Amino acid sequence: MSTSPFDQPIDRHGSDSLKWGKYAGRDVLPLWVADMDFAAPPAVLAALQRRVAHGVFGYGGATPALVEAVQAHLLREYAWAIEPDWLVWLPGLVSGLNVACRTVDGAVLTAAPVYPPFLSAPKLSGRPLQWFDLGYAEDGSGNGWHWDKNARNAALTVDTELFLLCHPHNPVGRCWSRAELLELAEFAVERNLIVCSDEIHCGLILDPDKRHLPLATLGTEIARRTITLMAPSKTFNIPGLGAAFAVIPDAALRRRFVRAAQGIVPHVNVLGLAATEAAYRDCDDWHRQLIAYLRGNRDAVQAAVAALPGVSMPPVEATYLALIDVRPLGLKQPARHFENHGLSLSDGADFGAPGWLRLNFGCPRSTLEQALRRFASACTSPEQLP
């Protein structure tokens, strides 16, 4: 019998879960939206219970203890010493992406495939969207995904003011290297771009030989033009509590960001603030166990996909999300086909990668094993369109 807390299934049927409620009454395993099926860390649960026991839920703000917890976490994990006034609190990272777009007047550049709000935030903010495709090497060298500098430079115009960076990258699973980040920083400085760096998956580096490097730590020039977005939500599985923050070292850029958020971005709720403090201060051991478990799940998905003809999966260096290439199967509706076989995966078309599917392996091993059996069955069955 396993003693790992991550092996214990938690029944989310009939709850408020968007992930599981989407298929109420159907035998479909939901491995789509990016929340894990694990309980939050015990220290987070205890902090929430203490906060609820207080009984008053008025408007709240970040306490000195919370700010100190964030500072200590960033220093411990990334050798990043930040000042308290660099922090701007947000009710979610997607809010931060949209505010960043409203911080500039010109066009917004990003690279696909990418998390869908990267593609929608500029449009919702009334800013032109410019995007280019990441390069992908199918020869088995490295992860496969990389920056296509020629495509990036071709997409840039004189109107471009903001680059949206996904770091680590969702959904391709890249942990960008120091060399790649330094080149990007040089590009941003040369072209006078602001960079909004979504680093929400920074605590989910799976490869032991890799580490997350916040873009803003690579020099004063890039730091003064970077908006770094972070949150405990993915790493500690508390996305429903809605707590995130931006780290903006440059005072003028920070004022622009705060001004763009005024009147449309609410305060962070008090339970989210309490959970964030506990997550960053008291959950290092839980986090280490989580990474080891996710690494095992990642390896299981990699092995299962490698054993099947017609599908492939680049290595996942970070996140709990695997992007799988099913284009050789020739499916007209890939996501619908797998759903018909009892497995819900995110459609790559939503990320700018039609013919690919994203699988969330942040679940108990028993759930994943069942999902991989259904995946194999779908790969060997003819498509039946409605």
Side-chain angles (χ1 to χ4, degrees):
M1 294 290 291
S2 171
T3 59
S4 171
F6 305 109
D7 270 333
Q8 310 308 314
I10 299 174
D11 188 3
R12 301 179 71 185
H13 291 95
S15 69
D16 55 10
S17 169
L18 295 175
K19 180 180 181 180
W20 287 83
K22 182 177 180 180
Y23 298 99
R26 297 175 58 188
D27 181 21
V28 177
L29 289 177
L31 271 62
W32 60 291
V33 70
D35 75 33
M36 297 187 288
D37 288 326
F38 306 132
V44 168
L45 298 178
L48 290 172
Q49 289 164 355
R50 289 192 297 271
R51 184 63 187 84
V52 169
H54 182 269
V56 180
F57 304 105
Y59 297 117
T63 64
L66 170 56
V67 173
E68 289 169 8
V70 172
Q71 287 180 289
H73 174 80
L74 296 182
L75 186 63
R76 183 172 65 250
E77 294 295 323
Y78 314 116
W80 191 13
I82 70 164
E83 299 297 329
D85 62 0
W86 294 2
L87 292 169
V88 179
W89 290 91
L90 298 162
L93 190 132
V94 174
S95 296
L97 291 173
N98 282 269
V99 172
C101 291
R102 287 167 167 81
T103 301
V104 301
D105 297 321
V108 180
L109 178 67
T110 195
V114 72
Y115 180 49
F118 276 62
L119 303 175
S120 63
K123 298 176 183 178
L124 292 172
S125 305
R127 297 341 184 233
L129 169 66
Q130 302 166 334
W131 63 281
F132 62 96
D133 290 325
L134 289 172
Y136 179 63
E138 301 187 61
D139 58 3
S141 60
N143 173 275
W145 297 100
H146 58 273
W147 296 111
D148 185 333
K149 299 172 191 174
N150 291 332
R152 181 190 65 192
N153 294 343
L156 190 77
T157 69
V158 294
D159 298 325
T160 311
E161 289 190 43
L162 175 68
F163 184 82
L164 294 182
L165 169 67
C166 200
H167 169 44
H169 197 100
N170 169 15
V172 308
R174 278 302 315 276
C175 173
W176 302 115
S177 69
R178 175 181 287 274
E180 289 169 317
L181 293 170
L182 285 171
E183 190 281 329
L184 180 65
E186 183 180 354
F187 167 78
V189 172
E190 286 180 353
R191 303 305 178 97
N192 194 30
L193 301 178
I194 294 170
V195 181
C196 179
S197 183
D198 165 7
E199 304 188 14
I200 195 172
H201 289 99
C202 60
L204 295 165
I205 308 301
L206 302 183
D207 285 2
D209 63 337
K210 293 180 173 59
R211 62 187 294 262
H212 178 75
L213 295 170
L215 181 70
T217 64
L218 298 182
T220 55
E221 277 299 306
I222 190 61
R224 72 178 186 83
R225 61 180 65 247
T226 299
I227 300 165
T228 303
L229 301 178
M230 290 182 163
S233 53
K234 301 300 181 185
T235 302
F236 302 98
N237 202 35
I238 50 175
L241 292 177
F245 54 90
V247 184
I248 312 175
D250 185 77
L253 180 57
R254 190 166 60 250
R255 285 193 295 271
R256 289 168 60 184
F257 185 89
V258 170
R259 190 161 53 244
Q262 288 178 344
I264 59 173
V265 177
H267 296 290
V268 181
N269 78 81
V270 293
L271 296 183
L273 296 172
T276 299
E277 180 181 342
Y280 285 145
R281 188 187 59 210
D282 301 323
C283 297
D284 286 357
D285 288 342
W286 183 93
H287 178 231
R288 280 189 287 271
Q289 295 175 51
L290 171 72
I291 294 300
Y293 195 88
L294 290 176
R295 189 179 297 133
N297 278 5
R298 184 268 316 268
D299 294 346
V301 177
Q302 186 84 58
V305 172
L308 293 168
V311 294
S312 62
M313 167 188 153
V316 178
E317 301 169 346
T319 79
Y320 48 80
L321 305 164
L323 193 62
I324 302 171
D325 185 2
V326 300
R327 289 175 297 175
L329 297 180
L331 302 170
K332 292 183 173 61
Q333 298 182 30
R336 176 66 63 85
H337 175 72
F338 282 82
E339 189 178 291
N340 290 339
H341 286 80
L343 182 61
S344 173
L345 307 174
S346 296
D347 193 333
D350 295 335
F351 301 80
W356 295 69
L357 295 171
R358 192 189 72 171
L359 182 151
N360 173 355
F361 55 81
C363 59
R365 198 72 44 82
S366 59
T367 302
L368 183 62
E369 289 170 352
Q370 185 180 5
L372 291 176
R373 288 193 293 269
R374 296 185 182 192
F375 184 88
S377 175
C379 287
T380 57
S381 301
E383 185 174 27
Q384 296 180 356
L385 297 176

